[in-house]
Amino acid sequence: EVQLVESGGDLVQPGGSLRLSCAASGFTFNTFWMHWVRQIPGKGLMWVSSISSHGNDLRYAESVKGRFTISRDNGRHSMYLQMNSLRVEDTAVYYCAREGGGTFALDYWGQGTLVAVSS
Amino acid sequence: DVQMTQSPSSVSASVGDRVTITCRASQDISSWLAWYQQKPGKAPKLLIYAASSLQSGVPSRFSGSGSGTDFTLTISSLQPADFASYYCQQTNTFPRTFGQGTRVEIK
């Protein structure tokens, strides 16, 4: 069974940093692209960042470029999102998701982890 | 960036109704479009990929169509479990933009 479990969400002050983790199981992790998507409570979905299966192709939304860094450790079946210079508008539930092979769609999602940026 | 525009933003419908949601891309995305369902407090769930392919395990009352810039998600006979929010996402290019969502409410 495919499972994605996020962790690391917390309350942090503006300008602070946080590292989110996504632990994957139930599939061959090193053959899939992985993504982060966020959602402000009560609002819509926003794609944040993506990483290729071997970690050599990284993509970011313009609003997080230069502040967030996506990475993965295929040996640990895990993906990460290092979030620096956090802003109030980064407050959201952050989901990790797997991209289905050949479909480009996000076929499995984690339960989400809440990041709250507030003074 | 490709802008995705969904309509309507909300729809009130009854059990058994046929519901259609549209999604328009600001440029040609071929058939690289996905549809997701999201219930309150839960993660999104993939319904349709590549515009018209039904994800495994999704009921056949859900269908998708379209190509280029105009797409539709149709629920042929609305069931109580279908009251939720629905999002389209273009999967053609980065950034992988979502539509703003459509809430399907009980009439």
Side-chain angles (χ1 to χ4, degrees):
Chain A
E1 178 194 6
V2 171
Q3 282 199 312
L4 298 170
V5 180
E6 302 95 335
S7 61
D10 204 346
L11 172 62
V12 61
Q13 291 189 337
S17 297
L18 213 52
R19 188 195 197 205
L20 304 185
S21 298
C22 172
S25 61
F27 64 101
T28 307
F29 183 69
N30 64 5
T31 63
F32 288 87
W33 275 71
M34 297 294 294
H35 302 254
W36 288 100
V37 175
R38 72 185 184 187
Q39 184 173 38
I40 297 170
K43 302 297 184 181
L45 300 169
M46 179 194 143
W47 171 81
V48 174
S49 184
S50 303
I51 185 167
S52 62
S53 58
H54 296 294
N56 56 333
D57 191 349
L58 312 178
R59 306 292 181 132
Y60 298 97
E62 199 61 40
S63 59
V64 307
K65 201 173 289 185
R67 301 187 298 123
F68 290 11
T69 302
I70 191 171
S71 63
R72 65 191 294 162
D73 183 337
N74 285 344
R76 295 180 183 273
H77 292 207
S78 293
M79 175 179 67
Y80 309 99
L81 187 67
Q82 178 66 43
M83 309 165 69
N84 297 332
S85 304
L86 281 162
R87 305 168 179 167
V88 170
E89 55 266 33
D90 294 319
T91 294
V93 174
Y94 285 73
Y95 295 101
C96 72
R98 187 187 85 166
E99 178 179 304
T103 72
F104 302 113
L106 305 180
D107 62 352
Y108 286 93
W109 296 64
Q111 84 288 353
T113 188
L114 177 61
V115 172
V117 185
S118 174
S119 54
Chain B
D1 297 1
V2 179
Q3 309 303 318
M4 304 301 295
T5 304
Q6 262 182 262
S7 61
S9 56
S10 67
V11 56
S12 293
S14 301
V15 172
D17 284 354
R18 181 182 184 89
V19 172
T20 299
I21 299 168
T22 65
C23 186
R24 175 164 286 175
S26 61
Q27 61 192 69
D28 188 341
I29 58 169
S30 185
S31 294
W32 297 115
L33 186 99
W35 289 98
Y36 304 90
Q37 176 193 67
Q38 187 180 33
K39 297 183 179 180
K42 300 293 187 182
K45 171 188 173 183
L46 176 65
L47 299 176
I48 301 283
Y49 63 90
S52 60
S53 296
L54 193 68
Q55 174 70 354
S56 176
V58 174
S60 58
R61 62 180 179 273
F62 291 93
S63 64
S65 64
S67 66
T69 60
D70 293 313
F71 302 86
T72 60
L73 173 70
T74 299
I75 310 172
S76 60
S77 177
L78 199 65
Q79 297 303 301
D82 302 337
F83 292 97
S85 293
Y86 294 83
Y87 295 89
C88 63
Q89 183 198 25
Q90 64 86 13
T91 57
N92 186 57
T93 59
F94 287 100
R96 296 273 181 88
T97 41
F98 287 89
Q100 77 275 23
T102 296
R103 177 180 282 185
V104 177
E105 300 171 322
I106 300 173
K107 193 171 189 178

